[in-house]
Amino acid sequence: MISLSPAQDDIVKFDLTKPIQIIASAGSGKTRVLTERIRHILSNTKKDKVLALTFTNKAAQEMQERLADFDGVEERTWVSTVHSVAQSIIESYGHSIGLPNDLHIYERDQDRMELFLQSLRDSNVDIDEYLNVNDPAEKRKRNQVMQGYMDAFAEIKRELLIEQTEIEEKYPNEPRFYDIYQDYQQALANSGGIDFNDILFYAYRILNEHSNIARTYQVQYKHVCVDEAQDLNKAQYELIKVFCGEKIKSVLMVGDPNQMIYGFNGSKDYFENDFVNDFLPQTFTLKENYRSTKAVIELANKIKPNSQINHEMAFQGCMKIQPCFNEEVEANWVIRGLKSLLDAKEHTEIEGQISLDKMVVIGRNKFVFNQLEAKLKEHNIPYFFNKGERQAEPESLFGKILDYAIRLKLNPKDWIDGKKLCSILKVKQPKQWDDQNLIEEWAEIVKTSNLPLVDMQSFLLNEIHNLNQEEPNIRKFCKTLEAKLNEYKTEESPEADKNKIELELALSLQELAMFLKRWTSFKSQSLGSTLKAFRNAMTLGKLDTDVQGQGLTLSTVHTMKGLEKDIVFLIGMCDGVFPDYRATSAKDLNEEQNNAFVAVTRAKRWLYVSYPQYRIMPWGSEKYHNISRFIDNLPTLQMINS
């Protein structure tokens, strides 16, 4: 039995028929409380099932691992992300609102924009006139205009605006907006696809418009637990609410208003206000930080007063604030710090040997890493960017063909990925996109091309064409492709091409191995058996939870949410960067303050904060920056200027 504090134990053993709101600060053991509450439910009921909703697949996997020792847990719990649950609802009941089977998810912004633009071209529409782009200077920024529409379409779906009047009221100064939105939705439908925001939007519609479908879930699940509830947007909150209906009363939501940092995704105070008003929960508060040292907690309380309480057994730790002359000096300071820590090798406050995998450098945005990246390369220090759970784009030609061709096989109407495949294969585009035999035809055509490893690429296309969609033997598929790739290792190549071929082979084998690893994860999680289910699981990021690079982690605040490291370097802590210069309203500044709180509380042991006084701006000139207002008036070290 896991040891719980009295406050945690009160939550775990609270009345199983009533709703609970838990306000849990960083490091206060909310995941432990959540999993032990689920364990308590399972232990004290005979057949009750629990739905546990998380914001990341990694969090879902961690929760599943913690509950794995409970007999029958797989049959009685559904631990998943909100998007994954919504996708499951669509797959089972999408037909109830007129959706076709086997919908393709367009997860990339650029793909959705191209899909929409091409649909306009096919209808002989003057795009600039259609989008009301009259100024020649603006025409050069058409992508920005299009991105504005994409953002607006996403907001419509996040806000669950279904009726024409609702949408027109939202955009009163754009009389044609509703028609443009409908044209975009029709373009998606014509290509057999939906966008990422449609997943929640359609799932909500299914449950809201068909109470009998909602009841099928309400009969199965007696308890709903929601992690990171402070980040819920309207679509997510309303989907949970309609899932519960009037029947499910045992609803637990845990969150921390001080860590609400997804305002750009529509998250608001649903956890603090709507949940309280709709469910009338009992509220519990957890403030004791079991994760961080006293030094880290002290700074966290400077940023968010009275948000944290030291655990009595906490290490002292350390926190330093270092002013630097400019970004190059700051990068050099970080490099010296990394080397000094690695040279020390061990410390009583760090478990095991001090290594790069126990460290992270956090920045407010990706631009603050430019100088540091250059210095890391110069000093041969391995690093990687923490990119969250979205699948990385393949690098090898083989990997790109594997990705695009499988997408096209699953959805022959998917001309977006079809065009990309045509481009890399150097073949002509078909006049019509709905032919099941295109991949097989291209396999023959490319045999006479000058593609790298041309026989391999042709072989790959044929293997994809022959895959059984309902029961694909991916292990055999990968084993066959691996053997074919390995044949090239013994072939003689011209010396001039040898390095390129060896690199392409290495990347191809690496990406094939990753593909197989994802399939193994897919099967071990019992997520399905079809090629479509596998593809959707990849799209939703379910299969990469244990994938990370080697060396030092570089991360923005948002991609570091929910994670922690022993040693944190927080760089670029100057006004204009942190808080961001665009944050001018009280609401925006509060969210920036939350971002700073999240960044600081990622540190378990030691925290090193730095800021450059002079930064090179995008237009090339140098500008002076003050220390971030969030850490102003705190003791700093002597400024480094070399």
Side-chain angles (χ1 to χ4, degrees):
M1 178 68 180
I2 291 178
S3 176
L4 298 171
S5 71
Q8 292 172 335
D9 195 57
D10 287 344
I11 296 169
V12 169
K13 294 177 181 176
F14 185 71
D15 191 333
L16 297 183
T17 66
K18 294 181 180 179
I20 303 174
Q21 180 196 49
I22 309 171
I23 299 174
S25 193
S28 62
K30 68 177 180 61
T31 305
R32 174 186 295 182
V33 170
L34 195 54
T35 52
E36 289 308 303
R37 172 68 174 180
I38 294 171
R39 188 187 299 275
H40 182 72
I41 292 169
L42 299 177
S43 299
N44 289 273
T45 60
K46 289 184 178 180
K47 296 181 180 179
D48 286 10
K49 290 187 177 182
V50 181
L51 170 65
L53 296 172
T54 68
F55 266 76
T56 67
N57 293 290
K58 184 177 178 61
Q61 185 179 36
E62 181 183 350
M63 200 177 298
Q64 288 168 334
E65 289 170 353
R66 292 191 185 201
L67 291 166
D69 62 341
F70 190 93
D71 188 35
V73 68
E74 291 184 2
E75 292 76 27
R76 295 180 61 193
T77 60
W78 185 7
V79 183
S80 191
T81 65
V82 183
H83 274 88
S84 296
V85 168
Q87 177 64 17
S88 177
I89 293 170
I90 291 172
E91 287 175 355
S92 299
Y93 299 104
H95 59 85
S96 67
I97 57 170
L99 296 176
N101 294 328
D102 297 331
L103 281 169
H104 180 85
I105 303 170
Y106 289 104
E107 73 266 35
R108 304 180 183 110
D109 287 344
Q110 195 60 42
D111 290 351
R112 294 195 290 271
M113 289 169 64
E114 178 57 28
L115 179 77
F116 186 32
L117 287 172
Q118 188 59 47
S119 72
L120 298 177
R121 295 186 195 105
D122 291 344
S123 301
N124 297 315
V125 170
D126 183 319
I127 293 173
D128 291 321
E129 182 180 338
Y130 177 86
L131 297 176
N132 199 27
V133 179
N134 300 315
D135 188 335
E138 284 189 16
K139 287 184 180 181
R140 292 195 296 271
K141 299 179 180 178
R142 185 192 288 167
N143 272 1
Q144 291 182 16
V145 175
M146 280 299 302
Q147 188 60 57
Y149 277 105
M150 294 295 119
D151 293 343
F153 298 160
E155 187 173 13
I156 285 173
K157 295 169 186 180
R158 287 197 301 262
E159 294 295 316
L160 297 177
L161 304 181
I162 296 172
E163 301 299 328
Q164 179 175 348
T165 53
E166 294 177 316
I167 295 171
E168 288 176 344
E169 286 175 9
K170 179 78 174 177
Y171 299 95
N173 299 323
E174 299 186 53
R176 294 184 57 254
F177 185 88
Y178 179 77
D179 293 333
I180 294 173
Y181 173 63
Q182 289 300 311
D183 288 345
Y184 168 71
Q185 289 299 101
Q186 189 60 52
L188 284 171
N190 291 343
S191 68
I194 59 176
D195 67 25
F196 208 73
N197 290 291
D198 279 323
I199 298 173
L200 296 174
F201 184 74
Y202 286 139
Y204 169 78
R205 278 191 54 198
I206 291 167
L207 298 186
N208 190 52
E209 295 173 18
H210 298 275
S211 57
N212 60 316
I213 296 174
R215 277 196 297 274
T216 63
Y217 290 102
Q218 291 159 7
V219 168
Q220 288 185 68
Y221 296 93
K222 305 295 185 185
H223 312 268
V224 173
C225 299
V226 184
D227 192 14
E228 301 286 3
Q230 79 280 346
D231 289 327
L232 291 170
N233 61 29
K234 184 171 184 179
Q236 292 161 341
Y237 176 75
E238 292 295 337
L239 176 61
I240 295 167
K241 184 179 171 183
V242 75
F243 186 100
C244 295
E246 295 295 322
K247 198 169 183 67
I248 302 175
K249 301 297 184 184
S250 174
V251 181
L252 179 154
M253 288 198 183
V254 57
D256 180 8
N258 289 332
Q259 296 186 68
M260 193 180 82
I261 62 173
Y262 287 95
F264 63 87
N265 193 42
S267 63
K268 294 179 183 175
D269 52 4
Y270 299 104
F271 170 60
E272 291 182 275
N273 293 333
D274 295 62
F275 178 54
V276 172
N277 294 329
D278 293 334
F279 289 86
L280 304 176
Q282 175 72 39
T283 298
F284 296 86
T285 301
L286 298 174
K287 282 189 175 184
E288 195 166 15
N289 187 325
Y290 297 92
R291 180 174 68 209
S292 301
T293 54
K294 294 175 183 177
V296 173
I297 292 171
E298 184 179 356
L299 179 55
N301 279 328
K302 294 283 186 183
I303 296 172
K304 287 285 183 175
N306 303 314
S307 62
Q308 304 256 283
I309 298 173
N310 284 321
H311 183 252
E312 59 182 10
M313 300 297 289
F315 288 121
Q316 180 57 45
C318 78
M319 191 284 295
K320 296 179 180 178
I321 299 177
Q322 179 64 63
C324 300
F325 180 72
N326 58 25
E327 290 174 289
E328 183 180 10
V329 171
E330 182 182 38
N332 282 327
W333 180 74
V334 172
I335 296 294
R336 288 197 295 272
L338 293 172
K339 289 185 174 182
S340 175
L341 290 167
L342 292 172
D343 288 343
K345 294 185 180 178
E346 58 183 29
H347 191 279
T348 54
E349 292 189 347
I350 304 290
E351 185 177 348
Q353 187 166 334
I354 296 174
S355 56
L356 290 175
D357 62 0
K358 293 182 178 178
M359 308 180 199
V360 62
V361 182
I362 300 177
R364 175 62 184 86
N365 56 53
K366 63 183 180 181
F367 305 110
V368 301
F369 294 106
N370 292 339
Q371 284 286 345
L372 180 59
E373 270 199 276
K375 296 296 180 182
L376 289 169
K377 290 174 183 175
E378 181 183 324
H379 290 268
N380 295 314
I381 297 175
Y383 70 92
F384 67 97
F385 273 97
N386 179 22
K387 295 182 179 179
E389 294 188 339
R390 289 295 182 93
Q391 184 185 340
E393 294 289 319
E395 296 181 48
S396 69
L397 178 63
F398 175 93
K400 290 174 182 176
I401 293 172
L402 179 63
D403 184 24
Y404 301 148
I406 285 180
R407 289 172 185 256
L408 186 64
K409 178 181 178 67
L410 290 169
N411 179 18
K413 293 181 181 179
D414 177 16
W415 58 264
I416 289 286
D417 291 300
K419 280 177 66 176
K420 293 177 184 176
L421 189 55
C422 286
S423 176
I424 62 175
L425 294 177
K426 300 177 183 176
V427 298
K428 286 181 64 174
Q429 295 180 31
K431 293 181 180 178
Q432 188 171 344
W433 291 95
D434 201 8
D435 187 342
Q436 302 281 350
N437 298 312
L438 280 176
I439 295 173
E440 185 180 34
E441 291 173 11
W442 292 339
E444 285 299 311
I445 294 171
V446 299
K447 284 181 179 179
T448 58
S449 72
N450 61 352
L451 290 175
L453 310 178
V454 63
D455 292 341
M456 181 68 242
Q457 316 304 358
S458 174
F459 185 80
L460 171 60
L461 288 166
N462 270 318
E463 289 295 303
I464 292 171
H465 173 76
N466 292 326
L467 266 177
N468 184 323
Q469 291 195 39
E470 294 305 308
E471 296 181 359
N473 190 337
I474 297 297
R475 290 189 180 281
K476 181 181 177 183
F477 172 78
C478 291
K479 189 174 181 180
T480 303
L481 292 172
E482 182 183 13
K484 185 72 173 176
L485 282 166
N486 281 321
E487 287 179 13
Y488 280 87
K489 291 186 175 181
T490 58
E491 291 183 1
E492 292 185 7
S493 305
E495 197 63 35
D497 299 333
K498 196 168 185 179
N499 288 341
K500 289 182 180 178
I501 290 174
E502 286 179 353
L503 178 59
E504 177 68 19
L505 277 170
L507 281 173
S508 300
L509 285 164
Q510 182 180 333
E511 289 176 343
L512 178 63
M514 179 57 69
F515 183 80
L516 178 58
K517 187 174 183 179
R518 288 180 178 131
W519 173 260
T520 302
S521 176
F522 171 73
K523 295 299 288 183
S524 68
Q525 295 181 57
S526 301
L527 297 173
S529 58
T530 67
L531 193 61
K532 170 64 75 174
F534 177 45
R535 177 65 252 170
N536 283 340
M538 281 197 280
T539 299
L540 293 173
K542 295 180 182 180
L543 311 180
D544 288 337
T545 53
D546 61 344
V547 175
Q548 65 173 10
Q550 298 294 318
L552 177 70
T553 305
L554 307 184
S555 180
T556 64
V557 181
H558 287 95
T559 55
M560 197 62 193
K561 181 74 181 295
L563 306 174
E564 62 272 336
K565 293 281 188 180
D566 285 324
I567 303 165
V568 170
F569 287 83
L570 178 54
I571 66 173
M573 281 299 288
C574 51
D575 258 19
V577 176
F578 215 151
D580 188 276
Y581 69 94
R582 292 164 293 189
T584 54
S585 69
K587 176 180 175 294
D588 290 343
L589 283 169
N590 182 63
E591 185 161 323
E592 287 296 288
Q593 194 172 6
N594 290 348
N595 271 298
F597 178 79
V598 169
V600 164
T601 54
R602 298 313 91 197
K604 294 166 66 175
R605 297 292 181 264
W606 303 337
L607 176 64
Y608 302 94
V609 183
S610 60
Y611 68 96
Q613 291 190 329
Y614 288 90
R615 296 182 64 245
I616 301 295
M617 306 308 290
W619 49 88
S621 63
E622 195 172 57
K623 184 179 178 181
Y624 177 81
H625 284 67
N626 290 314
I627 186 173
S628 169
R629 67 194 71 180
F630 301 139
I631 57 172
D632 199 6
N633 299 321
L634 292 174
T636 62
L637 304 174
Q638 184 177 355
M639 191 182 78
I640 296 176
N641 57 16
S642 63

